[in-house]
Amino acid sequence: MNWKEKQKYDREQLVLAQAESMLVQNVDSQLNMDELALAVGISKGTLYNHFTNKDAIIARIMERNAQYFLQMMRETMINVDDSMMKLKTLIRKIIQNPYFTFVLQNKPNMTETTELVKIFEQITEELGVLFTHLQEQELLHAVYPTPFLVAYFIHLFDPAIIAHLLKEGVLEDQIVTLTERFFFQGVQKEM
């Protein structure tokens, strides 16, 4: 990468970081291009030289975050030996890490063929492998179809719900513990 390409890459990374910060802070997840250009210290025209529109910026942020999550998930699968502990580690990392929740918050369009959709398919597939393995070990009941378990697992981490719980004073560690208990034991009291 030559100097000019590196400068362009660095500027794009700065734009993405600032845009992500603005999106996370903004309640309605809207991105204002004028404010973004001002915050980065570039003209709006220069901003449009890097990204065609704000949807392109949001798409790149979501792709990057989904890729971070996939990488974190794969590292967990490699570095944690016990299958149940892998799932518990994923729960903790998802709740403590904004990457995946940012993607969920912005609800990617899964009907299009984009890089984000491909990454999401990999995440779903790899979670499916883990759940199948847990069922084969009889740690999860085999009555539940793997696609149901994957979908249910992913939707446990709706960012609006987590934000509401934090606002209501439920501590992050409590959310992790309760999520684990809810997912692994259900809510029905044993008789």
Side-chain angles (χ1 to χ4, degrees), residues 119-186:
I119 296 168
F120 239 86
E121 287 170 351
Q122 290 175 321
I123 290 169
T124 302
E125 182 179 318
E126 292 183 29
L127 281 173
V129 169
L130 176 60
F131 284 122
T132 299
H133 185 69
L134 287 167
Q135 286 177 321
E136 289 168 354
Q137 291 181 317
E138 297 182 2
L139 296 170
L140 292 179
H141 202 295
V143 72
Y144 301 108
T146 302
F148 172 81
L149 289 172
V150 171
Y152 185 75
F153 181 78
I154 289 173
H155 286 82
L156 282 173
F157 306 102
D158 183 307
I161 293 171
I162 292 174
H164 173 74
L165 291 172
L166 291 171
K167 182 180 173 188
E168 292 295 318
V170 180
L171 302 176
E172 193 173 271
D173 284 341
Q174 289 175 304
I175 295 172
V176 170
T177 302
L178 294 171
T179 302
E180 288 175 356
R181 185 178 303 150
F182 185 80
F183 191 77
F184 296 116
Q185 298 169 355

Side-chain angles (χ1 to χ4, degrees), residues 29-45:
S29 294
Q30 295 297 314
L31 185 62
N32 182 301
M33 297 297 271
D34 291 319
E35 292 174 11
L36 178 58
L38 184 63
V40 175
I42 60 176
S43 71
K44 193 172 174 182

Side-chain angles (χ1 to χ4, degrees), residues 14-169:
L14 182 62
V15 168
L16 292 171
Q18 183 61 43
E20 185 171 14
S21 175
M22 292 169 77
L23 285 167
V24 169
Q25 292 172 6
N26 193 342
V27 177
D28 60 1
S29 294
Q30 295 297 314
L31 185 62
N32 182 301
M33 297 297 271
D34 291 319
E35 292 174 11
L36 178 58
L38 184 63
V40 175
I42 60 176
S43 71
K44 193 172 174 182
T46 301
L47 181 59
Y48 281 110
N49 283 337
H50 290 280
F51 300 97
T52 55
N53 56 36
K54 61 182 161 187
D55 291 337
I57 294 172
I58 293 170
R60 282 275 298 278
I61 292 169
M62 290 190 340
E63 286 170 14
R64 185 176 65 178
N65 288 344
Q67 190 64 47
Y68 287 154
F69 177 77
L70 180 61
Q71 179 182 342
M72 178 273 303
M73 191 172 97
R74 287 177 173 165
E75 288 171 4
T76 299
M77 298 302 176
I78 291 168
N79 296 327
V80 179
D81 293 329
D82 177 74
S83 295
M84 190 62 82
M85 198 59 182
K86 287 179 184 187
L87 196 53
K88 289 183 178 189
T89 302
L90 283 177
I91 290 172
R92 182 164 299 278
K93 287 187 175 186
I94 291 169
I95 289 174
Q96 294 174 339
N97 201 316
Y99 300 138
F100 194 58
T101 55
F102 179 80
V103 175
L104 290 176
Q105 180 180 12
N106 287 283
K107 296 178 180 46
N109 182 353
M110 300 304 285
T111 61
E112 298 177 5
T113 305
T114 63
E115 187 62 28
L116 180 61
V117 170
K118 291 176 189 173
I119 296 168
F120 239 86
E121 287 170 351
Q122 290 175 321
I123 290 169
T124 302
E125 182 179 318
E126 292 183 29
L127 281 173
V129 169
L130 176 60
F131 284 122
T132 299
H133 185 69
L134 287 167
Q135 286 177 321
E136 289 168 354
Q137 291 181 317
E138 297 182 2
L139 296 170
L140 292 179
H141 202 295
V143 72
Y144 301 108
T146 302
F148 172 81
L149 289 172
V150 171
Y152 185 75
F153 181 78
I154 289 173
H155 286 82
L156 282 173
F157 306 102
D158 183 307
I161 293 171
I162 292 174
H164 173 74
L165 291 172
L166 291 171
K167 182 180 173 188
E168 292 295 318

Side-chain angles (χ1 to χ4, degrees), residues 1-16:
M1 181 181 300
N2 65 34
W3 179 80
K4 194 167 189 156
E5 290 168 338
K6 173 134 177 51
Q7 186 180 26
K8 180 180 180 183
Y9 174 81
D10 289 345
R11 185 176 295 132
E12 285 178 0
Q13 296 309 304
L14 182 62
V15 168
L16 292 171

